[in-house]
Short mmCIF file of all heavy atoms in Angstrom, two decimals:
data_model
loop_
_atom_site.label_atom_id
_atom_site.label_comp_id
_atom_site.label_asym_id
_atom_site.label_seq_id
_atom_site.Cartn_x
_atom_site.Cartn_y
_atom_site.Cartn_z
N GLU A 1 17.37 -2.92 -7.16
CA GLU A 1 16.88 -2.16 -8.31
C GLU A 1 15.51 -1.55 -8.00
O GLU A 1 14.57 -2.28 -7.65
CB GLU A 1 16.78 -3.06 -9.53
CG GLU A 1 16.27 -2.36 -10.78
CD GLU A 1 16.04 -3.32 -11.94
OE1 GLU A 1 16.18 -4.55 -11.75
OE2 GLU A 1 15.70 -2.84 -13.04
N ILE A 2 15.41 -0.23 -8.10
CA ILE A 2 14.11 0.45 -7.94
C ILE A 2 13.44 0.46 -9.32
O ILE A 2 13.91 1.13 -10.24
CB ILE A 2 14.29 1.88 -7.40
CG1 ILE A 2 14.94 1.83 -6.02
CG2 ILE A 2 12.93 2.59 -7.33
CD1 ILE A 2 15.27 3.20 -5.45
N VAL A 3 12.35 -0.30 -9.46
CA VAL A 3 11.71 -0.44 -10.78
C VAL A 3 10.51 0.49 -10.94
O VAL A 3 9.92 0.55 -12.02
CB VAL A 3 11.27 -1.90 -11.02
CG1 VAL A 3 12.49 -2.81 -11.07
CG2 VAL A 3 10.29 -2.37 -9.96
N GLY A 4 10.13 1.23 -9.88
CA GLY A 4 9.01 2.16 -9.99
C GLY A 4 8.86 3.00 -8.74
O GLY A 4 9.13 2.53 -7.63
N VAL A 5 8.43 4.26 -8.92
CA VAL A 5 8.22 5.17 -7.80
C VAL A 5 6.85 5.83 -7.99
O VAL A 5 6.55 6.36 -9.07
CB VAL A 5 9.32 6.25 -7.73
CG1 VAL A 5 9.04 7.20 -6.57
CG2 VAL A 5 10.69 5.61 -7.58
N ALA A 6 6.02 5.80 -6.95
CA ALA A 6 4.67 6.38 -7.01
C ALA A 6 4.48 7.34 -5.85
O ALA A 6 5.11 7.19 -4.80
CB ALA A 6 3.63 5.27 -6.97
N ASP A 7 3.57 8.32 -6.03
CA ASP A 7 3.31 9.25 -4.93
C ASP A 7 1.93 9.04 -4.31
O ASP A 7 1.45 9.88 -3.54
CB ASP A 7 3.49 10.70 -5.38
CG ASP A 7 2.63 11.05 -6.58
OD1 ASP A 7 1.72 10.27 -6.91
OD2 ASP A 7 2.88 12.10 -7.20
N ASP A 8 1.27 7.94 -4.65
CA ASP A 8 0.03 7.56 -3.94
C ASP A 8 -0.21 6.07 -4.15
O ASP A 8 0.44 5.42 -4.96
CB ASP A 8 -1.16 8.39 -4.42
CG ASP A 8 -1.46 8.21 -5.90
OD1 ASP A 8 -1.59 7.06 -6.35
OD2 ASP A 8 -1.56 9.23 -6.62
N GLY A 9 -1.19 5.53 -3.40
CA GLY A 9 -1.46 4.11 -3.45
C GLY A 9 -2.03 3.62 -4.76
O GLY A 9 -1.78 2.48 -5.17
N ILE A 10 -2.80 4.45 -5.44
CA ILE A 10 -3.40 4.04 -6.73
C ILE A 10 -2.30 3.81 -7.76
O ILE A 10 -2.26 2.78 -8.45
CB ILE A 10 -4.41 5.09 -7.21
CG1 ILE A 10 -5.58 5.18 -6.24
CG2 ILE A 10 -4.91 4.76 -8.61
CD1 ILE A 10 -6.55 6.31 -6.53
N GLU A 11 -1.40 4.80 -7.87
CA GLU A 11 -0.29 4.66 -8.81
C GLU A 11 0.64 3.52 -8.38
O GLU A 11 1.16 2.78 -9.21
CB GLU A 11 0.49 5.96 -8.89
CG GLU A 11 1.57 5.96 -9.97
CD GLU A 11 2.39 7.23 -9.99
OE1 GLU A 11 2.07 8.17 -9.22
OE2 GLU A 11 3.36 7.30 -10.77
N GLY A 12 0.81 3.38 -7.05
CA GLY A 12 1.65 2.29 -6.54
C GLY A 12 1.10 0.94 -6.92
O GLY A 12 1.84 0.04 -7.33
N LEU A 13 -0.23 0.77 -6.81
CA LEU A 13 -0.87 -0.49 -7.19
C LEU A 13 -0.65 -0.79 -8.67
O LEU A 13 -0.33 -1.92 -9.05
CB LEU A 13 -2.36 -0.43 -6.86
CG LEU A 13 -3.19 -1.65 -7.26
CD1 LEU A 13 -2.71 -2.90 -6.53
CD2 LEU A 13 -4.67 -1.40 -7.00
N GLU A 14 -0.81 0.23 -9.51
CA GLU A 14 -0.62 0.06 -10.95
C GLU A 14 0.81 -0.38 -11.25
O GLU A 14 1.04 -1.27 -12.09
CB GLU A 14 -0.94 1.37 -11.69
CG GLU A 14 -2.42 1.73 -11.68
CD GLU A 14 -2.67 3.10 -12.27
OE1 GLU A 14 -1.68 3.82 -12.58
OE2 GLU A 14 -3.86 3.48 -12.41
N LEU A 15 1.78 0.23 -10.56
CA LEU A 15 3.18 -0.13 -10.78
C LEU A 15 3.47 -1.57 -10.34
O LEU A 15 4.19 -2.31 -11.01
CB LEU A 15 4.10 0.83 -10.02
CG LEU A 15 4.34 2.19 -10.67
CD1 LEU A 15 5.09 3.11 -9.72
CD2 LEU A 15 5.12 2.03 -11.97
N VAL A 16 2.90 -1.97 -9.20
CA VAL A 16 3.11 -3.33 -8.71
C VAL A 16 2.55 -4.35 -9.69
O VAL A 16 3.19 -5.36 -10.01
CB VAL A 16 2.49 -3.51 -7.31
CG1 VAL A 16 2.48 -4.99 -6.92
CG2 VAL A 16 3.25 -2.70 -6.28
N LEU A 17 1.34 -4.09 -10.20
CA LEU A 17 0.71 -5.02 -11.15
C LEU A 17 1.51 -5.07 -12.45
O LEU A 17 1.60 -6.14 -13.09
CB LEU A 17 -0.73 -4.57 -11.44
CG LEU A 17 -1.69 -4.60 -10.25
CD1 LEU A 17 -3.07 -4.10 -10.67
CD2 LEU A 17 -1.80 -6.02 -9.67
N LYS A 18 2.09 -3.96 -12.85
CA LYS A 18 2.83 -3.90 -14.11
C LYS A 18 4.25 -4.46 -13.98
O LYS A 18 4.70 -5.27 -14.80
CB LYS A 18 2.90 -2.45 -14.60
CG LYS A 18 3.68 -2.28 -15.90
CD LYS A 18 3.76 -0.80 -16.30
CE LYS A 18 4.60 -0.61 -17.55
NZ LYS A 18 4.72 0.82 -17.92
N MET A 19 4.98 -4.05 -12.92
CA MET A 19 6.40 -4.37 -12.81
C MET A 19 6.66 -5.69 -12.07
O MET A 19 7.75 -6.26 -12.17
CB MET A 19 7.14 -3.23 -12.09
CG MET A 19 6.99 -1.86 -12.75
SD MET A 19 7.48 -1.85 -14.50
CE MET A 19 9.20 -2.28 -14.39
N LYS A 20 5.67 -6.17 -11.29
CA LYS A 20 5.80 -7.42 -10.53
C LYS A 20 7.12 -7.44 -9.73
O LYS A 20 7.98 -8.29 -9.93
CB LYS A 20 5.73 -8.63 -11.47
CG LYS A 20 4.40 -8.75 -12.17
CD LYS A 20 4.36 -9.96 -13.09
CE LYS A 20 2.97 -10.18 -13.66
NZ LYS A 20 2.45 -9.01 -14.40
N PRO A 21 7.27 -6.49 -8.80
CA PRO A 21 8.51 -6.41 -8.01
C PRO A 21 8.57 -7.51 -6.95
O PRO A 21 7.59 -8.21 -6.69
CB PRO A 21 8.40 -5.03 -7.37
CG PRO A 21 6.93 -4.85 -7.17
CD PRO A 21 6.29 -5.48 -8.39
N ASP A 22 9.73 -7.61 -6.31
CA ASP A 22 9.88 -8.52 -5.17
C ASP A 22 9.36 -7.87 -3.90
O ASP A 22 8.85 -8.54 -3.01
CB ASP A 22 11.36 -8.88 -4.97
CG ASP A 22 11.97 -9.54 -6.20
OD1 ASP A 22 11.43 -10.55 -6.64
OD2 ASP A 22 12.96 -9.00 -6.73
N LEU A 23 9.49 -6.52 -3.81
CA LEU A 23 9.14 -5.81 -2.60
C LEU A 23 8.48 -4.47 -2.94
O LEU A 23 8.89 -3.80 -3.88
CB LEU A 23 10.42 -5.54 -1.79
CG LEU A 23 10.33 -4.56 -0.61
CD1 LEU A 23 9.45 -5.12 0.49
CD2 LEU A 23 11.72 -4.23 -0.07
N VAL A 24 7.45 -4.10 -2.16
CA VAL A 24 6.87 -2.75 -2.24
C VAL A 24 7.08 -2.08 -0.89
O VAL A 24 6.79 -2.65 0.16
CB VAL A 24 5.38 -2.78 -2.63
CG1 VAL A 24 4.56 -3.62 -1.67
CG2 VAL A 24 4.82 -1.37 -2.70
N ILE A 25 7.66 -0.88 -0.94
CA ILE A 25 7.84 -0.05 0.27
C ILE A 25 6.82 1.08 0.19
O ILE A 25 6.82 1.85 -0.78
CB ILE A 25 9.27 0.53 0.34
CG1 ILE A 25 10.31 -0.61 0.35
CG2 ILE A 25 9.44 1.41 1.57
CD1 ILE A 25 11.74 -0.12 0.25
N SER A 26 5.96 1.15 1.18
CA SER A 26 4.85 2.11 1.08
C SER A 26 4.62 2.85 2.40
O SER A 26 4.75 2.26 3.48
CB SER A 26 3.57 1.38 0.69
OG SER A 26 2.45 2.24 0.74
N ASP A 27 4.27 4.13 2.27
CA ASP A 27 3.80 4.87 3.43
C ASP A 27 2.44 4.29 3.83
O ASP A 27 1.67 3.86 2.98
CB ASP A 27 3.65 6.36 3.08
CG ASP A 27 3.54 7.22 4.33
OD1 ASP A 27 3.32 6.65 5.42
OD2 ASP A 27 3.66 8.44 4.20
N ILE A 28 2.18 4.27 5.12
CA ILE A 28 0.93 3.66 5.58
C ILE A 28 -0.29 4.54 5.29
O ILE A 28 -1.39 4.05 5.09
CB ILE A 28 1.02 3.32 7.08
CG1 ILE A 28 0.00 2.24 7.44
CG2 ILE A 28 0.88 4.55 7.94
CD1 ILE A 28 0.22 1.61 8.79
N LYS A 29 -0.06 5.88 5.26
CA LYS A 29 -1.17 6.80 4.98
C LYS A 29 -0.82 7.65 3.76
O LYS A 29 0.19 8.36 3.76
CB LYS A 29 -1.45 7.69 6.18
CG LYS A 29 -2.23 6.99 7.29
CD LYS A 29 -2.73 7.98 8.32
CE LYS A 29 -3.63 7.27 9.34
NZ LYS A 29 -4.15 8.22 10.35
N MET A 30 -1.68 7.56 2.75
CA MET A 30 -1.50 8.35 1.53
C MET A 30 -2.87 8.75 1.01
O MET A 30 -3.87 8.07 1.29
CB MET A 30 -0.76 7.52 0.45
CG MET A 30 0.68 7.21 0.77
SD MET A 30 1.48 6.26 -0.57
CE MET A 30 0.61 4.69 -0.45
N PRO A 31 -2.95 9.82 0.24
CA PRO A 31 -4.24 10.23 -0.31
C PRO A 31 -4.74 9.23 -1.35
O PRO A 31 -3.95 8.54 -2.00
CB PRO A 31 -3.94 11.60 -0.95
CG PRO A 31 -2.46 11.56 -1.24
CD PRO A 31 -1.86 10.75 -0.14
N GLY A 32 -6.06 9.17 -1.52
CA GLY A 32 -6.64 8.29 -2.53
C GLY A 32 -6.73 6.87 -2.06
O GLY A 32 -7.80 6.36 -1.70
N LEU A 33 -5.61 6.19 -1.98
CA LEU A 33 -5.55 4.79 -1.52
C LEU A 33 -4.34 4.69 -0.61
O LEU A 33 -3.20 4.92 -1.04
CB LEU A 33 -5.42 3.84 -2.73
CG LEU A 33 -5.38 2.34 -2.41
CD1 LEU A 33 -6.71 1.87 -1.81
CD2 LEU A 33 -5.05 1.54 -3.67
N ASP A 34 -4.58 4.35 0.67
CA ASP A 34 -3.43 4.30 1.59
C ASP A 34 -2.66 2.99 1.42
O ASP A 34 -3.03 2.11 0.63
CB ASP A 34 -3.88 4.50 3.04
CG ASP A 34 -4.80 3.38 3.53
OD1 ASP A 34 -4.82 2.30 2.91
OD2 ASP A 34 -5.49 3.60 4.55
#
């Protein structure tokens, strides 16, 4: 189940804190927060 999709690390962090997923898949380099 994909519980959240973000286009940068800041939004990704917010989603992880909110959704508490089992796994985060992230690009290593992104604007703002990699």
Side-chain angles (χ1 to χ4, degrees):
E1 179 186 5
I2 298 175
V3 296
V5 179
D7 55 14
D8 61 52
I10 296 173
E11 187 183 355
L13 177 62
E14 290 173 354
L15 281 172
V16 169
L17 296 178
K18 179 182 177 182
M19 304 305 298
K20 296 180 173 58
D22 301 304
L23 168 66
V24 56
I25 301 173
S26 173
D27 195 347
I28 201 166
K29 283 192 174 181
M30 292 181 292
L33 181 66
D34 64 18

